[in-house]
Amino acid sequence: MSATYPADDGEQPGRIMSGEMAEQPEMLRRILERGAPAIRAVAAEIAARKPRFVLLTARGTSDNAALYAKYLLEITLGMPCGLASMSTTTAYGAKPDLKDVLVITVSQSGGSPDLVASTKAAREAGAVTLAVTNNPDSPLSAVSEYHIDILAGPEKALPATKTYTASLLSLYLFVEGLRGGDGAAAAILPELAEAILARKDEVKALASRYRFAERMVITSRGYGYPTAKEAALKLMETSYIPALSYSGADLLHGPLAMVDNISPVIAVVTDGRGGEALQPVLDRLRGRGADLFVVGPKAQVEAASAGFVLPTAGVAEEVQPILEILPLQMLAYEVTIARGQDPDAPRALAKVTETR
């Protein structure tokens, strides 16, 4: 475990979240070494059934992981994907024809009633169902035909950190398995994650810059967009700062008008086609005098007001989100601590959300 975020700090606020963030490099190694063979086996069985379409079902942090899987499936496999609206079955009783459709439900706990009910209904409607959870004994796993254990270990802090990156890596390996790939692009991730988490002082200094922010805007494109959404969620649930996430393309369709030189804008710039597509947005933001914080390659950070340089050399674009979220988890943690709050226990939240 990294010494950067020790888990044994007595009763220090945020000690649980910090400890779980620190577990991520070792957790990524565990998935690559122990989880990958089982994931490949599940992927091979599902690939043999030739699903014609994919529906992804999730809530909260897991919804952002599902969005990442949507990009992977559409870009690498050319497979049509959609994000399910669970209320169509749980509230309205709709009965869609899901024969030969792959329904992937992503959930940390596997215990939310709406996820369980919609997955059960999907299976009854003819779907191939796959649960991706941190709990192989969960109700969701029981109603699904297939299951992938993300091997994150118990997560006690209310803000999800390690289960998010574990879900991303597990979904990446699953999609690789569907297309017969070996997932070799992920091998470098544990080492790079360790190096990123060691830069605590750098993030702490950045947090002091934003501790009094009244609002933040977070933007990206392509593979980085789920990272923008997850970063916004982490900031809101830990520090209570309203954080609005937009695709860079959507930001230009109106919300850009609210950007000024006071409210910070965080841009997640993936090194690849997503980052290239975001470039006109970055130019417009700089033109408006925005306080622009960039997470991405060195050249992009140097052209911004502030930022965090990601080690992207030799890292495939599709796995960069597993690294991109780490400094943003750290930022949410440090901003929350700087504001005198406890990121372990955000107000009004529970670990398992009982929605129907």
Side-chain angles (χ1 to χ4, degrees):
M1 181 182 294
S2 166
T4 305
Y5 285 95
D8 54 356
D9 298 353
E11 296 304 314
Q12 178 182 338
R15 67 185 180 86
I16 303 174
M17 180 180 176
S18 67
E20 290 173 351
M21 286 193 293
E23 292 177 30
Q24 290 176 103
E26 187 56 38
M27 177 204 70
L28 295 174
R29 290 189 184 95
R30 182 164 62 246
I31 295 168
L32 290 171
E33 293 169 5
R34 288 176 37 202
I39 294 172
R40 278 195 297 270
V42 168
E45 283 195 39
I46 291 176
R49 297 175 66 170
K50 301 187 184 317
R52 58 184 172 87
F53 188 88
V54 179
L55 276 177
L56 293 144
T57 307
R59 297 284 193 202
T61 285
S62 294
D63 200 32
N64 300 326
L67 180 59
Y68 167 73
K70 184 176 187 291
Y71 276 92
L72 281 173
L73 288 158
E74 291 181 341
I75 294 170
T76 64
L77 293 179
M79 184 174 284
C81 297
L83 297 175
S85 300
M86 282 172 277
S87 63
T88 60
T89 55
T90 60
Y92 291 92
K95 297 185 182 299
D97 178 6
L98 297 179
K99 184 180 178 182
D100 299 327
V101 172
L102 170 60
V103 172
I104 303 174
T105 306
V106 187
S107 172
Q108 299 153 39
S109 68
S112 295
D114 55 350
L115 295 172
V116 175
S118 61
T119 301
K120 184 174 183 290
R123 188 171 181 181
E124 291 169 352
V128 178
T129 52
L130 167 66
V132 179
T133 81
N134 196 38
N135 182 4
D137 299 319
S138 65
L140 178 61
S141 304
V143 300
S144 301
E145 187 174 358
Y146 297 98
H147 176 257
I148 287 174
D149 184 353
I150 63 173
L151 299 176
E155 188 173 60
K156 297 179 181 178
L158 286 176
T161 54
K162 63 178 183 175
T163 52
Y164 180 68
T165 49
S167 296
L168 295 191
L169 180 54
S170 298
L171 288 163
Y172 167 73
L173 293 172
F174 171 71
V175 175
E176 278 289 283
L178 287 179
R179 70 187 191 98
D182 59 6
I188 197 172
L189 295 177
E191 177 185 345
L192 294 179
E194 216 156 40
I196 289 169
L197 289 169
R199 294 160 63 185
K200 176 181 179 180
D201 290 344
E202 188 178 335
V203 177
K204 196 169 185 177
L206 290 166
S208 67
R209 178 186 179 101
Y210 299 116
R211 64 179 294 192
F212 297 115
E214 295 183 1
R215 180 186 69 200
M216 288 188 179
V217 174
I218 309 179
T219 189
S220 188
R221 291 203 68 181
Y223 285 115
Y225 181 43
T227 307
K229 290 176 68 67
E230 175 61 12
L233 178 59
K234 283 292 150 294
L235 282 161
M236 287 190 287
E237 69 183 356
T238 56
S239 69
Y240 317 142
I241 296 174
L244 308 173
S245 59
Y246 296 99
S247 156
D250 287 333
L251 187 63
L252 297 182
H253 283 267
L256 184 68
M258 71 176 172
V259 173
D260 52 30
N261 62 354
I262 299 174
S263 299
V265 177
I266 299 176
V268 180
V269 186
T270 304
D271 192 0
R273 294 188 183 183
E276 292 167 7
L278 189 64
Q279 193 59 52
V281 182
L282 300 177
D283 294 340
R284 290 284 298 276
L285 289 168
R286 282 190 284 264
R288 290 189 60 81
D291 179 359
L292 182 60
F293 175 109
V294 166
V295 174
K298 183 177 181 181
Q300 295 288 352
V301 173
E302 289 176 342
S305 308
F308 187 98
V309 176
L310 274 183
T312 58
V315 182
E317 181 178 2
E318 59 266 28
V319 298
Q320 288 179 37
I322 299 169
L323 301 177
E324 289 167 349
I325 192 57
L326 300 178
L328 294 167
Q329 290 174 347
M330 295 160 69
L331 182 68
Y333 170 89
E334 295 292 355
V335 167
T336 304
I337 293 293
R339 289 164 70 97
Q341 294 152 201
D342 185 357
D344 282 344
R347 62 194 181 204
L349 295 185
K351 195 63 178 172
V352 179
T353 305
E354 298 284 337
T355 50
R356 292 188 181 276

